[in-house]
Structures are given as C-alpha cells and as structure tokens.
Amino acid sequence: MMKRTKLAVAGAALLLTPLTVGAGHATAAPAPTQALAPAACEIGGPHTDFRGTTIHMRNKPGGDHVGWADQGDCAYWYQTDSGPNVQCQDGSRTAAWQLVQNKRTGVVGYVSACYLG
C-alpha cells in the first residue's frame, strides 16, 4: 500500500509540473521566482513612518503599553490628542499624541508625535 501511495503522489506531481515543448522534446519549466518586497509606506495623507526603535504604543496618551513600533514600520494616522509632555530626541518638547495603527503588527495605540515622521 505504501508503494502504491508513493507512486500516486509521484504521478500527481508529474501531472502538475508545467511543461514546455521545444526541439522535439518536453522539459519541465522552471518555477517562477518572485521576491516579495515589503509594502512601502504611503507617505502623506494619513500615512507616515515611525522614527526610532522600540517605540511604546499606549492605550491612551501616556497610558499603558499595548505594543511596539520600530523605524521603518508604517503608521496609519487616526487622530491627535493632548497628553503628557515628552522630550523629543532633538531636544524639543511636545504634548501631541497621535492615535495610529502600526501596519506591520496591526496594533492600534497612541505614540508621542516625537516618534512619527
């Protein structure tokens, strides 16, 4: 029974292999290879990039941690709210908190405006 199953699987594989015919003989066509590039963030409108690494996403401005974001993750923006002042890496301060969705992870949460591109 095992031998019959192996033969059936091998036969099915041959039937499903695409063939090309040329110069009097058939050969198996190589499988198409396609590299999947990560989707680019559509900058502008409601999309922007996160700036920095291991950025905390929170349930409310300055609230509890709900997820992480990193440089290169794409953020879909929903709204801006006020919250605790945060000192940005460039030395400026802001009380603006953005409600965004991290498109890579799907997490929705607040991030200080310091960390959005």
Side-chain angles (χ1 to χ4, degrees), residues 51 84-97 112-116:
R51 294 189 317 207
N85 274 315
V86 174
Q87 184 166 349
C88 303
Q89 291 176 336
D90 66 3
S92 65
R93 295 187 68 76
T94 184
W97 287 76
S112 169
C114 292
Y115 300 107
L116 294 172

Side-chain angles (χ1 to χ4, degrees), residues 56-67 79 81 97-99 107-111:
H56 289 275
M57 297 180 70
R58 301 184 181 278
N59 65 342
K60 62 183 181 182
D64 295 331
H65 173 88
V66 294
Q79 69 188 43
D81 291 308
W97 287 76
Q98 313 291 329
L99 180 61
V107 172
V108 175
Y110 281 91
V111 174

Side-chain angles (χ1 to χ4, degrees), residues 30-37:
T33 58
Q34 184 179 36
L36 297 176

Side-chain angles (χ1 to χ4, degrees), residues 39-86:
C41 189
E42 301 169 25
I43 303 300
H47 292 91
T48 190
D49 283 326
F50 287 95
R51 294 189 317 207
T53 56
T54 58
I55 300 163
H56 289 275
M57 297 180 70
R58 301 184 181 278
N59 65 342
K60 62 183 181 182
D64 295 331
H65 173 88
V66 294
W68 297 104
D70 284 303
Q71 184 84 27
D73 288 351
C74 184
Y76 183 84
W77 178 85
Y78 293 105
Q79 69 188 43
T80 301
D81 291 308
S82 293
N85 274 315
V86 174

